[in-house]
Amino acid sequence: MRAVLPLCLLGALRHGESYGYALLQQLTVAGLESVKPATLYPALNRLAEDGAVEVHWRAGEGGPGRKCYRITQVGRERLDAEWSAWENFGASVSRLLTGPVPTSSPPGATAPPGATAPPGAPAAHPAPTAIPDPVGARPLGAGPHGSGPADMQPTDARQPGTST
């Protein structure tokens, strides 16, 4: 979970600034109810240290002020790269779950038509039609800004959630 939390936070913040408790609620509604404040706030601080989010204080509504977070251009670029890497990872997992992948095939290749699984192999499950978006905001294949695969940025060799 920790490795994808920064991706999820950047995805939530791409819609506009927010504060910690509201982000925690968004994650919970999206199905990530296991994220606790003790995990959330250090992740937000690391994103701020990396320049992916800006932090500022906003007056509270009838209460204390709130520390708000806003995605930066650096954060948008990171979101684009990590989102693309996440989709590639999901596609790889889907290929493994939907049937045997021949060891001699290059990555991304599919089995020839009419190929069957070896005797004793588990039955293949139908391929999923979509991989759920971590923040539920776009269909599979749409870029982070909703315009499609052309909006994707090339990824580097880092794993999502790591810093250089």
Side-chain angles (χ1 to χ4, degrees):
M1 171 58 69
R2 252 180 67 184
V4 298
L5 183 58
L7 172 62
C8 295
L9 291 170
L10 291 172
L13 289 169
R14 82 180 185 284
H15 300 295
E17 74 175 41
S18 191
Y19 56 97
Y21 182 74
L23 288 167
L24 199 57
Q25 288 178 316
Q26 282 182 285
L27 293 172
T28 299
V29 168
L32 302 174
E33 58 275 344
S34 65
V35 177
K36 304 294 181 220
T39 305
L40 176 80
Y41 290 103
L44 286 167
N45 289 337
R46 282 189 298 277
L47 286 170
E49 290 169 4
D50 293 346
V53 297
E54 295 174 338
V55 181
H56 68 277
W57 285 91
R58 185 170 64 184
E61 299 165 10
R66 291 185 175 156
K67 193 175 191 178
C68 291
Y69 303 88
R70 180 183 312 130
I71 193 169
T72 64
Q73 184 58 36
V74 168
R76 289 182 193 285
E77 291 168 6
R78 179 173 169 176
L79 174 62
D80 290 350
E82 290 186 11
W83 203 331
S84 180
W86 178 260
E87 286 186 326
N88 290 336
F89 175 75
S92 296
V93 170
S94 291
R95 279 192 297 276
L96 291 169
L97 294 176
T98 58
V101 177
T103 56
S104 61
S105 297
T110 58
T116 59
H125 294 282
T129 56
I131 298 170
D133 179 38
V135 291
R138 68 188 176 97
L140 177 64
H145 307 291
S147 62
D151 201 28
M152 297 293 179
Q153 301 295 320
T155 61
D156 58 19
R158 292 181 297 141
Q159 293 294 318
T162 63
S163 53
T164 55

